[in-house]
Amino acid sequence: MANRSTPTRVIPPILIGLGAFFLVIAILIPLYMVGRLEKTPLDLEITSVSTGTGSVLDSRSLTAGSAVVDQNVPLISQRFVTTEEPSNSDVITVQAGSSLRRTDRQGDTGLLTATVDRVSLDRVSSMPVDPVGSIQSQADKPAEEVPHTGLQYKFPFDSQKQTYPFFDTVARESYDMTFVEETQIEGVTVYHYTQTIPAVDLSAVVPSPANKLALPASTWGVDGGATPITMTRYYENTRDIYVEPVTGVIVKGQEDVHQYYARRAGTPEVDVVKAVIGFDDNTVTYQLGRAQDGKDQIALIGRTVPIVAGVLGVILLAVGIVLLLRGGRTTRGTRPVADGPTTGPRTSGAGSPAPDHDWTTDRTEEIPRTNLRKD
């Protein structure tokens, strides 16, 4: 009769096939899927808020004839980042509107600075893909083309303990952002970087009348009476940021900013803005959440799923091979049984009695005697 397929013959190949499939999945997922996750999302819509207090020049006092610098002024800096076109699988264009205002005054009277920055970035490295971006810093003038040459709104995935170029929109130039230490914020490991921007002549950056003023010495509060004294507006900053290294998300930032009028760089005479401003608690919490979500996705696809698939693949492969080998041994060790009753001595393949059976003593085939005599 023809042999029939049994579960012991079908199951092992299935298990071996599934095991090989899961092993392939464990190898391919990290190679192809993690790279897709390690890209800046195309649906950015992020608001960050920084607060602080400091010294602020009352600009109206200059026209009144005496520079007045208010102390302990409450300040708020807001930045809204959105995705713009062109953006695709490799490049993202971001636009960031930023403002700094004093909160003790309402409306435009409290506005100190406002800029709109636009730049296209590589979605993995976060570096500008084309050095030409644009910045608008004067409400009555259109945006100007400005080369962007460093990081700004995000660090690269898998950030390293090294120095990166970091672009400053006020100075319109990149300066070194140096690694300081590895630390933690609310249990999340972050890298601390710092950047120092030396005195920058803002009149050489933006040719605005406000960046170079000629006023009587008495207005500036220096010796000379009515003699006109030309003062230049300078900008200095020390920036500290904290980056979650897996995703490159900046979870915390702080600036020790100083703008002032002076006749020489590095010798402030009248403060314009002097304050320490940093992310508020809500912004830090939100950025930590973004970083943690990104880390979880990368860990799930890059580590958890491959490990589970690999372990499952090895187990299925091993079980399938063991069952296959056992099935082979069972088949080779089993002697086929005839379908019908045996009416004579069993024979070997050549038709003669099987040599291992002693038919001289076997009486199981003896015909019973029958009493044929009638009583």
Side-chain angles (χ1 to χ4, degrees):
M1 293 180 65
N3 292 331
R4 297 177 183 176
S5 296
T6 62
T8 56
R9 294 182 179 181
V10 175
I11 291 177
I14 293 176
L15 294 178
I16 292 173
L18 287 174
F21 171 77
F22 280 111
L23 287 177
V24 170
I25 291 296
I27 295 171
L28 294 183
I29 283 182
L31 291 177
Y32 295 99
M33 293 302 297
V34 173
R36 295 189 176 187
L37 290 176
E38 291 184 340
K39 288 187 176 182
T40 303
L42 291 175
D43 57 349
L44 291 182
E45 194 168 302
I46 303 168
T47 300
S48 59
V49 178
S50 298
T51 57
T53 59
S55 304
V56 178
L57 173 65
D58 184 347
S59 58
R60 296 174 299 183
S61 66
L62 293 177
T63 58
S66 178
V68 176
V69 178
D70 297 328
Q71 304 297 321
N72 299 318
V73 176
L75 299 169
I76 184 169
S77 175
Q78 293 177 298
R79 184 172 67 194
F80 184 52
V81 180
T82 58
T83 303
E84 304 292 336
E85 294 296 336
S87 294
N88 53 45
S89 60
D90 299 315
V91 175
I92 181 172
T93 298
V94 299
Q95 180 169 289
S98 304
S99 66
L100 175 64
R101 64 174 59 247
R102 53 189 298 172
T103 59
D104 59 342
R105 293 185 180 176
Q106 300 299 314
D108 291 341
T109 60
L111 183 64
L112 301 177
T113 62
T115 60
V116 177
D117 179 50
R118 185 184 178 94
V119 62
S120 294
L121 308 170
D122 184 282
R123 291 181 62 193
V124 177
S125 70
S126 298
M127 292 291 289
V129 294
D130 188 327
V132 177
S134 67
I135 297 177
Q136 182 181 14
S137 58
Q138 301 179 79
D140 58 344
K141 293 185 178 181
E144 304 173 68
E145 285 192 350
V146 177
H148 288 57
T149 56
L151 303 172
Q152 280 183 265
Y153 305 109
K154 184 181 175 299
F155 267 56
F157 288 90
D158 190 26
S159 298
Q160 301 298 306
K161 299 176 180 180
Q162 65 183 49
T163 297
Y164 291 96
F166 197 88
F167 186 77
D168 185 277
T169 55
V170 178
R172 299 189 178 185
E173 189 175 345
S174 289
Y175 297 87
D176 285 346
M177 182 68 75
T178 306
F179 174 79
V180 177
E181 62 178 343
E182 177 181 318
T183 185
Q184 289 195 337
I185 297 177
E186 296 185 18
V188 177
T189 297
V190 295
Y191 290 173
H192 174 200
Y193 299 85
T194 190
Q195 177 190 55
T196 300
I197 299 175
V200 177
D201 180 352
L202 291 182
S203 68
V205 177
V206 180
S208 167
N211 288 336
K212 191 179 284 288
L213 290 174
L215 297 172
S218 59
T219 299
W220 294 117
V222 299
D223 295 337
T227 304
I229 300 293
T230 299
M231 294 278 192
T232 300
R233 188 167 176 167
Y234 291 95
Y235 165 71
E236 299 177 10
N237 198 352
T238 299
R239 179 180 283 116
D240 288 276
I241 59 175
Y242 297 81
V243 177
E244 194 291 303
V246 175
T247 61
V249 173
I250 299 174
V251 300
K252 184 178 180 180
Q254 177 179 287
E255 297 186 17
D256 186 351
V257 62
H258 192 191
Q259 290 193 33
Y260 57 87
Y261 283 110
R263 284 167 283 187
R264 291 185 303 277
T267 309
E269 296 185 74
V270 177
D271 288 339
V272 178
V273 176
K274 182 176 174 59
V276 176
I277 304 172
F279 283 7
D280 66 3
D281 292 342
N282 288 337
T283 299
V284 172
T285 299
Y286 177 76
Q287 293 295 90
L288 283 172
R290 287 185 59 221
Q292 191 62 55
D293 288 345
K295 281 182 61 179
D296 291 345
Q297 290 183 14
I298 292 172
L300 177 65
I301 300 300
R303 186 171 63 248
T304 304
V305 171
I307 289 175
V308 172
V311 171
L312 185 58
V314 169
I315 293 174
L316 290 173
L317 197 61
V319 172
I321 292 173
V322 169
L323 291 179
L324 185 65
L325 293 176
R326 286 182 176 177
R329 286 197 298 268
T330 302
T331 302
R332 288 193 299 270
T334 302
R335 179 173 296 166
V337 179
D339 290 338
T342 300
T343 58
R346 287 182 295 174
T347 62
S348 63
S352 58
D356 60 340
H357 196 98
D358 185 0
W359 293 100
T360 61
T361 60
D362 189 342
R363 303 184 60 82
T364 59
E365 299 297 327
E366 183 178 5
I367 299 175
R369 295 180 181 274
T370 303
N371 186 4
L372 298 179
R373 190 176 52 181
K374 293 181 179 181
D375 293 332

